[in-house]
Amino acid sequence: MSILVFGHKNPDTDSICSAIAMAELQTKLGKDIKAVRLGNLNKETEYILNYFNIELPELIEKVKDEQEVILVDHNEKGQSVDNRDNSKILLIVDHHKIDLSTADPINLRFETVGCTSTIIAKLFKENNLVPSKEIAGLMLSAIISDTLLFKSPTCTDEDIKQAKYLAEIAEIDYEKYGMDMLIAGTSVDDKTAEEIYNMDMKPFSFGDQTATVAQVNTVNINDILKRKNELIKVMQEKIKNDKLSFALLMITDIVNKGTELLVVGDKTLANKTFGLDMSKDTVYLEGVVSRKKQIVPPLTNAAN
Amino acid sequence: MSILVFGHKNPDTDSICSAIAMAELQTKLGKDIKAVRLGNLNKETEYILNYFNIELPELIEKVKDEQEVILVDHNEKGQSVDNRDNSKILLIVDHHKIDLSTADPINLRFETVGCTSTIIAKLFKENNLVPSKEIAGLMLSAIISDTLLFKSPTCTDEDIKQAKYLAEIAEIDYEKYGMDMLIAGTSVDDKTAEEIYNMDMKPFSFGDQTATVAQVNTVNINDILKRKNELIKVMQEKIKNDKLSFALLMITDIVNKGTELLVVGDKTLANKTFGLDMSKDTVYLEGVVSRKKQIVPPLTNAAN
């Protein structure tokens, strides 16, 4: 039975590309391994797999008991594969906060960098291996995606260093390719409000409240805001079905670096954390582009 | 304010030596850092620091708010420094099971090897650095201690590889030095029963039960067993003071590879897990030498 490697549910570019890159790394190390995915691709990732002519990983929802797995770009149970508790986790490579408890010793490689693929690029080097041209292109794409072409506050010197190294191997002009890729990812005209909300949505716990935080990148916030009423309906539905305290949507302008935060449900924590006017649905957060660094930690701290 | 690096409470050789080695590594990387300890040295570690003429790290119990820390050889809150929740964890290097939840992304390097110093030796290499002769000797000593000179089932090829590399740098005959060091560590004639129990004792949770699991290495199990009544009294006191369900003492014969397990308090879980005769205090476990690999996981599984 092959080892399975996958990123989080509602996969973004890093979750898909890091899983495929890890599969190549482990294959070069002599392991029998297969990259899979826990959800549908977003437009940006579709553009990337198409650009590098990489086959779509198989969709799975749950794993069998005793299945050997490698996790990339996530560690929390709620974001992972169904039946994970009965699988055997060989390794987790991640750059998020941790919430994990195991019965046995485990291999973990967590670094506070902007992108999981940055860590995987280092792992290739530490093992004296060089990724193929296409896989280097995928890892480069993941770094561009997670760091918004090095503009996000989550971006570190290490991300830029590895991205430049990968761009050389992939023989790509990363500035031009990166902007094309990001813009290809922002078009939502053909999407329903539900699809927009679920594109890059993750569940979280803040103290004793549960919530979802979704993010959509755009080059024009009003393109999304004009569909506010539809989106609120989807989020209200989500709150009811999943018994959440509230639901957030970050509408992030990747050129001007700012986020219009849409809040549905119990607004108390968003009011306390971000100064949301309780009579309104949205608040504009200047300079905020990162869920991981600028939205989740302040909510966690305010809840505790 | 210097970064502080430390191992777990009731430090064993790996916790002390890995902290000192990590301090040298980070110093070479340009950081202002100091190795400290969370408890008194055992006899083995005393022998080692004396052998390599290394200064005793300062004893601390708690850290100030916002103190930057690096943790080695442990991650669970109960085994760590007081006030850790208000410190800033920069990095954890460990080889145990994990039970950790953070508000922010974190640097973690966990490998399923026999000793934390094995991982730290790799970190020196990855940063193109070579440890000093004395620090190589400390890391070698930690590997010998944790793997019982490569005889423990927790010992991996990587531990042996790094130990041999470190022995070359330290210019030491590791077979001879290792046996001297282990025997120096097993003498308990000058210790009270309380000191014996606390030498290498760790708290754990198994389902909804809390317990302590201590281990003492020996070359003659009867040397320790003859003090059984004193030890039982100490363990009963411990159970009462810390409101534990039970307390265990592993009396491990490092030459013949086996453990006499002394059980005090509620014997139900030890009966279910190790077949302890409920009318007796001890059960001999052939081939068992590792708390981490052969005692804690079966108890965890039996409790769940």
Side-chain angles (χ1 to χ4, degrees), chain B residues 185-200:
Chain B
T186 62
S187 165
V188 293
D189 292 346
D190 62 343
K191 299 226 177 285
T192 66
E194 193 172 359
E195 284 168 339
I196 293 173
Y197 194 74
N198 288 319
M199 267 185 337
D200 179 14

Side-chain angles (χ1 to χ4, degrees), chain B residues 3-275:
Chain B
I3 301 164
L4 297 180
V5 52
F6 46 82
H8 52 74
K9 284 178 177 167
N10 293 299
D12 58 4
T13 293
D14 190 23
S15 266
I16 297 290
C17 295
S18 286
I20 298 171
M22 176 59 83
E24 178 171 280
L25 172 63
Q26 295 294 332
T27 302
K28 284 180 190 281
L29 291 170
K31 296 284 162 56
D32 176 15
I33 185 167
K34 192 173 127 182
V36 293
R37 63 189 163 97
L38 305 189
N40 292 327
L41 296 200
N42 65 34
K43 210 146 197 160
E44 182 189 88
T45 317
E46 261 176 22
Y47 175 91
I48 295 161
L49 292 197
N50 190 48
Y51 188 97
F52 292 101
N53 198 20
I54 297 282
E55 214 182 319
L56 184 66
E58 187 189 323
L59 177 71
I60 67 163
E61 278 183 3
K62 64 176 287 183
V63 290
K64 290 184 183 152
D65 290 358
E66 304 300 320
Q67 170 69 49
E68 291 184 318
V69 299
I70 293 178
L71 276 50
V72 293
D73 197 35
H74 74 295
N75 68 85
E76 300 188 32
K77 191 175 158 175
Q79 299 171 5
S80 199
V81 76
D82 293 352
N83 197 38
R84 190 183 79 174
D85 282 350
N86 294 313
S87 73
K88 202 179 158 201
I89 303 176
L90 301 182
L91 168 65
I92 306 179
V93 180
D94 195 6
H95 66 131
H96 295 93
K97 73 190 182 82
I98 192 165
D99 184 11
L100 187 69
S101 180
T102 64
D104 290 290
I106 184 168
N107 294 298
L108 301 175
R109 181 70 177 254
F110 281 52
E111 296 191 17
T112 53
V113 292
C115 179
T116 306
S117 278
T118 299
I119 310 169
I120 297 177
K122 288 177 72 179
L123 292 176
F124 271 93
K125 274 191 215 170
E126 286 167 19
N127 287 285
N128 297 312
L129 293 169
V130 177
S132 65
K133 205 173 149 179
E134 293 74 27
I135 297 299
L138 291 194
M139 288 192 276
L140 169 65
S141 303
I143 299 173
I144 291 169
S145 171
D146 267 8
T147 66
L148 299 174
L149 203 37
F150 314 146
K151 280 187 192 146
S152 164
T154 59
C155 187
T156 66
D157 291 346
E158 191 67 44
D159 294 297
I160 298 171
K161 181 178 152 192
Q162 297 302 334
K164 289 184 175 171
Y165 166 73
L166 293 166
E168 264 178 48
I169 299 172
E171 296 175 27
I172 276 183
D173 174 352
Y174 60 82
E175 295 273 7
K176 187 191 169 324
Y177 167 75
M179 197 46 83
D180 289 348
M181 185 199 107
L182 288 174
I183 289 172
T186 62
S187 165
V188 293
D189 292 346
D190 62 343
K191 299 226 177 285
T192 66
E194 193 172 359
E195 284 168 339
I196 293 173
Y197 194 74
N198 288 319
M199 267 185 337
D200 179 14
M201 182 270 296
K202 290 182 182 175
F204 291 94
S205 296
F206 302 110
D208 51 8
Q209 299 186 58
T210 56
T212 51
V213 185
Q215 182 168 29
V216 55
N217 290 331
T218 182
V219 288
N220 183 356
I221 284 176
N222 285 323
D223 264 4
I224 314 285
L225 265 194
K226 70 184 178 202
R227 300 174 67 179
K228 192 172 84 169
N229 290 341
E230 287 176 73
L231 286 163
I232 289 177
K233 229 181 240 174
V234 166
M235 291 160 77
Q236 282 168 338
E237 199 66 18
K238 181 97 198 149
I239 289 170
K240 199 177 136 197
N241 291 339
D242 297 0
K243 298 190 177 58
L244 304 174
S245 311
F246 60 92
L248 302 181
L249 175 63
M250 298 172 63
I251 305 166
T252 300
D253 184 327
I254 57 175
V255 177
N256 298 308
K257 296 179 74 173
T259 288
E260 191 82 25
L261 186 69
L262 175 59
V263 184
V264 177
D266 184 346
K267 293 175 180 168
T268 320
L269 193 60
N271 169 269
K272 188 175 162 194
T273 314
F274 303 113

